[in-house]
Amino acid sequence: MEPIDTSLVDWSRAQFALTAMYHWLFVPLTLGLGIIMAIMETLYVRTGREFWKQTARFWMKLFGINFAMGVATGIILEFEFGTNWSNYSWFVGDIFGAPLAIEGILAFFMESTFIAVMYFGWNKVSKRAHLASTWLTIIGATLSAWWILVANAWMQHPVGMEFNPDTVRNEMVDFAAVAFSPVAVVKFCHTVSSSWVLGAVFAVGVSCWYLLRGKHREFALASIKVAAWLGLIAALITAHTGHQSGRDIAQYQPMKLAAAEGLYEGGNAQGLVLGGLLRPGADWTAPSDESKFLFHVEMPYALSLLATHEADGYVPGIRNLLEGGYTLPDGSTALPAEEKMARGRKAIAALADYRKAKDEATKSAALTTLRENFDYFGYGYLNSPTELVPSVPITFYSFRIMVVLGGYFIALFAGLLIACKWLPSWTRWKWALWIVVLTIPLAWLASQAGWVVAEVGRQPWAIQGLLPNVAAISRLEVGSVQTTFFIFLVLFTLLLVAELSIMGKAIATGPETDKPTA
Amino acid sequence: MNDISLLQHYWWFLVSLLGALLVFLMFVQGGQSLIWTLGRTEEQRRMLLLATGRKWELTFTTLVTFGGAFFASFPLFYSTSFGGAYWVWVLILLCFVVQAVSYEFQLKNGNVLGTTTYRVFLLLNGLLGPLLIGTAVGTFFTGAEFVVDKAAIAQPAMPVISSWVNPLHGLEAAMVPQNLMLGLSVLLLTRVLACLYFLNSIADEALRTNCRRRLRMESAFFLLFFLTWLLRWLCGYGYAWLPEDGYVYLEQYKYLHNLLAMPAVLGTLLIGVVLVLTGMITGLKGWHRAIWPAGAGSVLVVLALLLCAGWNNTAYYPSSVSLQSSLTIANSSSGLFTLRTMTYVSFIIPFVLAYIAWAWRALDRKPITPEEANEEH
């Protein structure tokens, strides 16, 4: 039988990454801007001031332009699980499909029904029904995020399932464990709050641009106050949940943590790398005489504290994870990667024996072997332990970009709120206004960097420890995937340019708050 | 709810219902395919696009939920068909990607691609979407070229369980006349429904006259293609399987036998056909609300056809190259626990339908006027 072409795996990954990264340009703005426009409309309904209505309508206009692109890229993402990862779809479809279906039934219909009322219903339903529709639109979008993040969290930390050798797949046995897994809860809070941060950065950035231009002053100041409060609260939640997420990674994905920290040689009382430069070309899969850093600054004990709650706690590095031999929190000794791969191959061979067995005794023996080694099933598809090491430079730098920018956003929102309250003249400081305007792309950079850490850091796994990418793909010609990759690239880029142009024009036109009301 | 067979039938019903609702809601696509045919002036085209623009997301969401529900309930289909018939599904997805931005972008300032480009996107989505979906669904009855070997998962060098045999990866379905005929029937049905929907939702006499004129021709062609397809479907071979061991075999008149074995499904089909014809005839006579009998009829007809594809021991996704690889609701479904959990979730569907009905009524209470079409949304 012809073996899998590894370039097929690479192109399938590239296509999924392309779609996911484009999709994630639009989704966080939808989630963040949605909350802002809903707050504005609530203020309109409470106060009856036309000003708030026009403010809400302006943000809604930008929301709509962006929302369409999120929908367009999202549909590809959902179906790519089938088109490019067909083996994955069978192997875990029994578990993974459920959140996607629930997302459709519970969230998508809510979103798509009420967004129509939100846009076309201003003169057709009552003020309160319209406000409810606006909130239900954003609640629908947020619920959608919940279910897709449940699915993603499950891939990072699979729970609530059992392998069925007769159907050759994993089957769900505990829905609550999947839907309310602590990893999923943290991931949801972290992702959604960071999206609110992005929406808030966008809103304050656009508002400061108006202040620079000397236009729509009342609108700009009102939007800054609302968005900065939202942004500050959300950024603090993001920081807190980021910390919790780090602890989850330490527990369930130690290789990701090691890559994010550039930690080759682990040990007790590990420091957290605050910043540094990795040595270009360093081999992260083998020891070397020279340091793998050109330079770095560490906060002593901080990584051990983060990962284990103890200043002298043990944190494994890449070498330790590959070679094993250290003591795990449950007291057992970590296996070397070679041993895990051997046990994985044993599990796969036992599955083959089970399916071929003609008598009950052989079947039972094969099943016992399979169960004893199933925890390492996915390792059986790997050819070398080095495949277990993700790209350290990408993970390391992305992690730092995310964290540094997260801290900067907290300072920015706090600064804006202080300035609005006690320094009314700040709106004349052009340099300050420009800083806020130029922060807009940084919000996307931080958001994308976060996902890069989450997804690149868990390579080579499609499902952590259970199914590597190489065993998850569809059997396609590489040329087909290359062709669709470039089709999507050109199409998404073209549509992004179109969106940016329309968005730019809408921002240039501005809100209608300055126009006299009829 | 511990009987997996019952749950498999229930989920096949739900997936079929979603498919049937999708075909009805594709009046949006039908309408898009008629932008320039019905809309002679810019004002008329704006009214047409405003009418479908209020509903496109519902159609889109139904398609996505149809995919999600299929994934959750019959993951082997999702895995085999999407991963194998790659090009058909990619083309369908591309059609829907360009639709998703077109309504929002077409009339906005700063629109670098130009209004006409987006309307061409809508036209493409309107023509190709129903045609390709109909053609792909045609393979539910005629078969597709795939092999499923679950034992492959234990071969680390090539662990992929589903393989597509034809290098065209799904495009070959368009070369089977029966599939193409179903695709054309779906396309024409969406255009019939679109004409009826516009009659109900747009208050412009000139446009209504255009719709009625168009309705006559679209209905005639639809009936020609659909009845020819139906006749061949009833008289042709179908893929049956034995409940004892899952053995799949060819059976002549299988779908006719299914209808006779399931009188409720036969009744659904007949009522559906009568309602579709009623909608067409009353629409031609000028009744503005004819979309409702025709729409309900479409749902019933498609539901009955899809139920015949999966119920009564029928392989709903037959393999024409490896009969025993064919997918049935028994060998391709999720496990008992997942189906049961999903069933509890499905109880929320009536609530979802209720708020959709409220929103539909709120927006469509008054037909669209030329003045409204010229407002910015």
Side-chain angles (χ1 to χ4, degrees):
Chain A
M1 179 164 292
E2 198 182 315
I4 289 174
D5 183 342
T6 50
S7 67
L8 173 63
V9 182
D10 293 339
W11 279 102
S12 299
R13 279 184 63 200
Q15 179 164 302
F16 199 86
L18 171 84
T19 318
M21 291 182 88
Y22 262 99
H23 186 52
W24 199 251
L25 289 176
F26 313 108
V27 174
L29 187 60
T30 294
L31 294 174
L33 218 45
I35 294 286
I36 290 170
M37 73 190 189
I39 292 172
M40 301 299 191
E41 192 178 341
T42 307
L43 289 168
Y44 161 61
V45 172
R46 286 179 69 104
T47 64
R49 277 189 67 199
E50 186 69 12
F51 167 80
W52 287 116
K53 181 181 179 183
Q54 293 306 331
T55 304
R57 287 193 77 150
F58 173 74
W59 293 118
M60 263 176 208
K61 186 194 275 188
L62 302 189
F63 174 91
I65 296 165
N66 177 71
F67 184 83
M69 283 294 289
V71 171
T73 46
I75 190 171
I76 299 272
L77 208 53
E78 174 180 341
F79 285 93
E80 269 182 11
F81 287 114
T83 54
N84 295 83
W85 304 99
S86 71
N87 232 32
Y88 167 93
S89 295
W90 172 248
F91 197 63
V92 295
D94 191 81
I95 309 136
F96 191 83
L100 293 192
I102 298 173
E103 184 188 18
I105 295 168
L106 285 183
F108 286 159
F109 275 113
M110 187 186 284
E111 216 177 338
S112 63
T113 303
F114 291 105
I115 198 172
V117 180
M118 187 176 92
Y119 279 108
F120 300 107
W122 281 106
N123 302 318
K124 293 176 189 289
V125 297
S126 70
K127 258 190 204 180
R128 287 183 183 279
H130 192 277
L131 176 64
S133 299
T134 302
W135 275 109
L136 286 168
T137 301
I138 189 60
I139 290 170
T142 311
L143 275 177
S144 160
W146 171 269
W147 288 108
I148 197 66
L149 291 169
V150 161
N152 182 273
W154 185 82
M155 291 161 78
Q156 314 270 350
H157 176 50
V159 286
M161 87 292 182
E162 265 175 19
F163 183 72
N164 181 340
D166 294 313
T167 53
V168 194
R169 65 175 179 196
N170 289 279
E171 294 180 354
M172 185 156 58
V173 293
D174 185 348
F175 179 69
V178 175
F180 305 106
S181 131
V183 175
V185 173
V186 169
K187 188 169 262 296
F188 170 78
C189 295
H190 188 61
T191 310
V192 170
S193 61
S194 69
S195 300
W196 293 352
V197 171
L198 185 144
V201 168
F202 179 78
V204 294
V206 170
S207 302
C208 283
W209 189 80
Y210 287 136
L211 292 177
L212 272 169
R213 290 280 169 276
K215 288 168 32 179
H216 313 299
R217 188 179 166 79
E218 187 187 1
F219 162 87
L221 287 174
S223 295
I224 287 170
K225 278 179 199 161
V226 171
W229 270 115
L230 175 73
L232 181 63
I233 294 165
L236 292 170
I237 296 172
T238 307
H240 177 64
T241 50
H243 170 70
Q244 289 176 306
S245 185
R247 197 156 288 167
D248 286 341
I249 290 169
Q251 195 174 350
Y252 306 120
Q253 297 175 302
M255 184 62 90
K256 185 193 283 185
L257 182 69
E261 279 301 308
L263 183 66
Y264 182 72
E265 194 74 58
N268 295 91
Q270 289 294 310
L272 187 76
V273 178
L274 294 177
L277 265 185
L278 302 177
R279 184 175 298 281
D283 180 2
W284 287 89
T285 61
S288 53
D289 293 336
E290 53 188 6
S291 166
K292 293 189 190 293
F293 283 92
L294 286 177
F295 75 90
H296 66 291
V297 182
E298 269 189 16
M299 186 191 283
Y301 305 109
L303 183 60
S304 284
L305 265 175
L306 171 97
T308 67
H309 285 192
E310 289 170 15
D312 66 342
Y314 181 84
V315 183
I318 292 169
R319 189 183 72 78
N320 314 102
L321 289 162
L322 293 181
E323 294 177 5
Y326 61 93
T327 306
L328 293 167
D330 64 2
S332 61
T333 304
L335 293 181
E338 289 279 10
E339 171 72 12
K340 289 180 183 174
M341 286 167 57
R343 292 186 65 173
R345 285 192 289 270
K346 211 168 172 184
I348 291 171
L351 176 62
D353 293 343
Y354 175 85
R355 292 190 62 83
K356 278 186 224 146
K358 298 273 189 281
D359 60 283
E360 280 307 311
T362 317
K363 223 171 179 173
S364 171
L367 192 56
T368 305
T369 310
L370 174 63
R371 293 211 168 122
E372 280 172 359
N373 297 286
F374 187 73
D375 284 351
Y376 306 100
F377 187 86
Y379 288 84
Y381 293 105
L382 302 177
N383 292 316
S384 157
T386 57
E387 289 174 37
L388 289 165
V389 183
S391 168
V392 174
I394 293 177
T395 316
F396 176 84
Y397 290 120
S398 300
F399 183 69
R400 263 133 210 94
I401 289 171
M402 175 186 72
V403 172
V404 168
L405 287 175
Y408 165 63
F409 297 144
I410 292 174
L412 178 82
F413 292 128
L416 279 171
L417 287 171
I418 290 166
C420 286
K421 180 81 179 166
W422 288 292
L423 295 167
S425 61
W426 79 277
T427 56
R428 290 197 297 272
W429 304 344
K430 288 201 169 184
W431 60 269
L433 296 173
W434 271 115
I435 285 176
V436 183
V437 172
L438 293 173
T439 297
I440 293 176
L442 298 182
W444 269 274
L445 182 63
S447 194
Q448 294 277 342
W451 275 111
V452 169
V453 174
E455 298 303 306
V456 175
R458 73 180 164 102
Q459 293 309 313
W461 300 109
I463 305 156
Q464 186 71 37
L466 197 61
L467 190 73
N469 292 324
V470 71
I473 55 164
S474 300
R475 197 170 178 181
L476 295 164
E477 291 76 31
V478 181
S480 293
V481 184
Q482 286 170 328
T483 308
T484 49
F485 173 89
F486 287 108
I487 290 174
F488 291 151
L489 178 66
V490 170
L491 183 64
F492 291 161
T493 307
L494 195 68
L495 295 179
L496 176 65
V497 170
E499 186 203 284
L500 290 175
S501 167
I502 293 170
M503 190 81 97
K505 201 76 182 174
I507 291 170
T509 306
E512 297 190 0
T513 46
D514 301 342
K515 292 184 183 171
T517 51
Chain B
M1 278 193 293
N2 286 322
D3 182 352
I4 189 158
S5 174
L6 176 68
L7 291 175
Q8 285 161 342
H9 282 79
Y10 174 69
W11 272 94
W12 184 254
F13 172 79
L14 282 187
V15 167
S16 301
L17 183 62
L18 275 170
L21 288 170
L22 176 64
V23 172
F24 163 55
L25 290 169
M26 279 202 293
F27 70 77
V28 169
Q29 273 64 31
Q32 288 166 198
S33 73
L34 293 166
I35 304 171
W36 279 289
T37 314
L38 294 176
R40 308 280 160 79
T41 64
E42 174 59 20
E43 189 174 75
Q44 287 182 341
R45 285 192 281 273
R46 281 187 179 220
M47 281 192 280
L48 293 171
L49 289 175
L50 181 58
T52 51
R54 290 173 178 179
K55 300 288 179 275
W56 78 265
E57 284 199 51
L58 208 49
T59 312
F60 200 93
T61 303
T62 308
L63 173 67
V64 174
T65 307
F66 177 70
F70 230 138
F71 191 5
S73 49
F74 300 100
L76 191 54
F77 168 79
Y78 201 83
S79 156
T80 304
S81 180
F82 285 83
Y86 187 75
W87 280 109
V88 171
W89 292 114
V90 165
L91 284 177
I92 290 172
L93 291 176
L94 287 172
C95 284
F96 280 87
V97 168
V98 295
Q99 184 209 25
V101 294
S102 296
Y103 278 107
E104 185 61 35
F105 288 6
Q106 49 137 357
L107 290 174
K108 289 275 190 291
N109 292 328
N111 162 1
V112 283
L113 298 181
T115 300
T116 308
T117 307
Y118 289 110
R119 289 185 179 172
V120 170
F121 284 166
L122 291 175
L123 178 71
L124 284 174
N125 171 259
L127 290 171
L128 290 177
L131 182 68
L132 289 170
I133 288 177
T135 306
V137 171
T139 61
F140 281 31
F141 306 103
T142 58
E145 300 184 31
F146 63 86
V147 176
V148 176
D149 175 17
K150 288 180 187 169
I153 205 103
Q155 296 166 1
M158 177 44 82
V160 182
I161 64 166
S162 302
S163 310
W164 207 260
V165 175
N166 195 304
L168 291 175
H169 280 288
L171 293 178
E172 72 280 0
M175 292 167 200
V176 177
Q178 184 79 345
N179 295 341
L180 207 53
M181 216 179 296
L182 186 60
L184 284 167
S185 303
V186 173
L187 172 62
L188 290 161
L189 177 62
T190 63
R191 286 160 69 95
V192 167
L193 293 171
C195 290
L196 295 172
Y197 173 71
F198 291 142
L199 281 174
N200 187 44
S201 59
I202 297 176
D204 182 88
E205 217 28 65
L207 206 46
R208 280 179 168 163
T209 307
N210 292 348
C211 286
R212 274 192 290 271
R213 202 172 293 148
R214 195 73 214 172
L215 179 61
R216 193 172 301 129
M217 194 191 298
E218 300 292 336
S219 299
F221 277 110
F222 164 68
L223 289 174
L224 176 70
F225 279 102
F226 180 67
L227 292 176
T228 311
W229 180 87
L230 194 67
L231 203 63
R232 286 195 62 178
W233 180 72
L234 288 170
C235 299
Y237 282 88
Y239 295 77
W241 59 279
L242 296 172
E244 305 87 67
D245 57 4
Y247 181 79
V248 180
Y249 61 97
L250 276 169
E251 178 183 319
Q252 196 171 13
Y253 307 123
K254 172 63 182 161
Y255 300 109
L256 179 61
H257 293 161
N258 282 358
L259 287 173
L260 296 174
M262 300 184 288
V265 177
L266 175 62
T268 304
L269 179 67
L270 293 177
I271 293 170
V273 169
V274 170
L275 284 172
V276 171
L277 291 173
T278 306
M280 286 172 179
I281 294 164
T282 53
L284 284 169
K285 288 187 175 172
W287 188 41
H288 291 170
R289 295 181 183 277
I291 178 66
W292 295 115
S298 309
V299 171
L300 294 180
V301 168
V302 178
L303 178 64
L305 295 177
L306 290 176
L307 291 179
C308 277
W311 280 5
N312 198 38
N313 304 327
T314 312
Y316 71 86
Y317 199 53
S319 168
S320 53
V321 292
S322 165
L323 221 50
Q324 301 317 313
S325 291
S326 301
L327 307 190
T328 68
I329 60 171
N331 71 13
S332 66
S333 83
S334 283
L336 177 63
F337 183 88
T338 298
L339 289 180
R340 198 167 46 207
T341 306
M342 294 294 303
T343 299
Y344 292 130
V345 174
S346 74
F347 294 155
I348 204 170
I349 289 175
F351 173 68
V352 174
L353 291 175
Y355 70 64
I356 291 173
W358 172 81
W360 190 301
R361 198 175 136 65
L363 294 181
D364 284 16
R365 203 176 298 140
K366 287 183 189 159
I368 292 164
T369 58
E371 297 73 41
E372 194 181 349
N374 290 323
E375 284 172 16
E376 197 197 346
H377 290 280

